[in-house]
Amino acid sequence: MGFSSLTLPLWGIFFPRSYSSPGLCQSMAMLPPATCLLSLLLVVGMGGAMPSPRLPPQGCYMAEEAGERTFRCSQAGLNAVPTGIPNDTRKLYLDANRLASVPAGAFQHLPVLEELDLSHNALAHLSGAAFKGLADTLHHLDLSANQLASVPVEAFVGLQIQVNLSANPWRCDCALQEVLRRVRLVPGTGTGIVCGPDARPDLVGQEFLPLAGEEELCGAGRGGARRSTDVALLVITGGWLVLVVAYLAHYVWQNREEARRPLKQAPVLPVHSEDSSTLSTIV
Ligand SMILES: *[C@@H]1O[C@H](CO)[C@@H](O)[C@H](O)[C@H]1NC(C)=O
Ligand SMILES: *[C@@H]1O[C@H](CO)[C@@H](O)[C@H](O)[C@H]1NC(C)=O
C-alpha cells in the first residue's frame, strides 16, 4: 500500500492524461489531503515549464503598454507592497488592494518608475521616505480613495509630480497645505480634496483648496506645529517662574528663621546676639 501510494503521483507526471487532476486525487482518496495537494503541485510544477525562476507576486502580471514596461497588481488582495517587481517597470498599478502603509524606500529599487497608482487601498500612513529614489523619474502618483488624514511633507520634497489626492479623510492641516505648495494636482481633482472627521470642527466636510487659499494654516498661532511650540515655550517659562518664586519663598523663610534663632540664644550671649540681630535686619 505504502509503495503504490507513493508511485501514484509519479504516474501522474509521466501519464498526465490518464490521471487528470481530479481523477488523481480521487484515486488517492486513501491519502491525507495534504499529500494529494503536494503531488498535484509536483505535477503542475513539472508540467508547466517556467521561463523565469522568479515568479511575479500572485495576482500580478507584466505587460508592455505603449512600449513601456507595466506591472499590474490591481485587486490582487495585497497587504503590502510586493517584492519581485522588475527593475525596468515604468508604470506600477497597486490599486484596489489592502495596503495600509507605504514604508520608507518602498520603490527605491525601481529606477525608471514614472507612474504609480496606489488608489483604492487602506493607506493611513506614508513614510517621509516613501518615494525615496524616485525624484528624477516619477511624474504621476495616485493616492486617491485611501484613509489618509495627513501626509508628511518630506515624502514630496524634490518630486516633480502630478498627484490625485481625492477621496481621503483629510485633517486639512499645515502639512497638507505645504504638500499642495510642492505638487501639482491632476487636473480636475482639486474638488475631491475634502476635510474629514479629524479636521477642525468648522472645516469638516469643506473643500480644502478654497480654504487653503484664504487661510494660512502654517502661520503663527494657526498651524499645529507652531501652536505646540508656543505651548512648550509657555510651559517652560511657567516652570521657571514657579522655580524662581519657590526659591524666593525659601530664601525669605530661611532669613526669617535665621533672624529668630539669635533671639532664642539671647540668654547665653546677650551682647553678640544683639549685634547679629541688628546685622541681619540691616542685611
Ligand atoms: C536591473 O537590474 C539588472 C541586474 O541587476 C541591471 O543589469 C539593470 O541595469 C537594471 N535595470 C535598470 C533599468 O536599472
Ligand atoms: C482621482 O481620484 C478619484 C478617486 O479615486 C477618481 O474618481 C478620479 O477619476 C481620479 N481623477 C483622475 C483624473 O485620475
Side-chain angles (χ1 to χ4, degrees), residues 80-245:
V81 176
T83 53
I85 302 170
N87 67 348
D88 58 350
T89 298
R90 290 183 182 270
K91 297 180 181 178
L92 177 58
Y93 294 86
L94 297 175
D95 56 302
N97 283 292
R98 294 193 290 263
L99 307 183
S101 68
V102 179
F107 308 102
Q108 61 183 349
H109 59 294
L110 304 174
V112 292
L113 191 65
E114 293 168 0
E115 275 190 47
L116 176 57
D117 189 349
L118 291 166
S119 70
H120 296 91
N121 276 286
L123 294 180
H125 176 76
L126 281 190
S127 160
F131 310 118
K132 196 170 117 192
L134 304 179
D136 295 333
T137 58
L138 193 69
H139 60 65
H140 191 100
L141 174 64
D142 197 339
L143 290 171
S144 70
N146 276 291
Q147 296 300 318
L148 294 168
S150 191
V151 283
V153 183
E154 309 85 67
F156 298 89
V157 170
L159 296 180
Q160 304 289 318
I161 48 166
Q162 271 202 335
V163 283
N164 188 347
L165 299 173
S166 309
N168 279 286
W170 293 110
R171 197 181 300 135
C172 293
D173 53 3
C174 166
L176 183 58
Q177 194 169 36
E178 287 276 304
V179 167
L180 288 177
R181 287 183 178 136
R182 292 172 184 276
V183 300
R184 279 168 298 129
L185 293 177
V186 174
T189 62
T191 52
I193 305 177
V194 177
C195 307
D198 286 353
R200 225 168 61 195
D202 59 313
L203 306 186
V204 176
Q206 304 275 326
E207 262 181 49
F208 185 64
L209 279 192
L211 198 113
E214 62 191 40
E215 194 176 330
E216 180 54 64
L217 291 157
C218 302
R222 275 292 187 189
R226 255 341 132 79
R227 204 178 295 173
S228 64
T229 43
D230 283 354
V231 168
L233 211 73
L234 207 76
V235 167
I236 290 169
T237 316
W240 271 110
L241 259 171
V242 166
L243 270 178
V244 168
V245 167

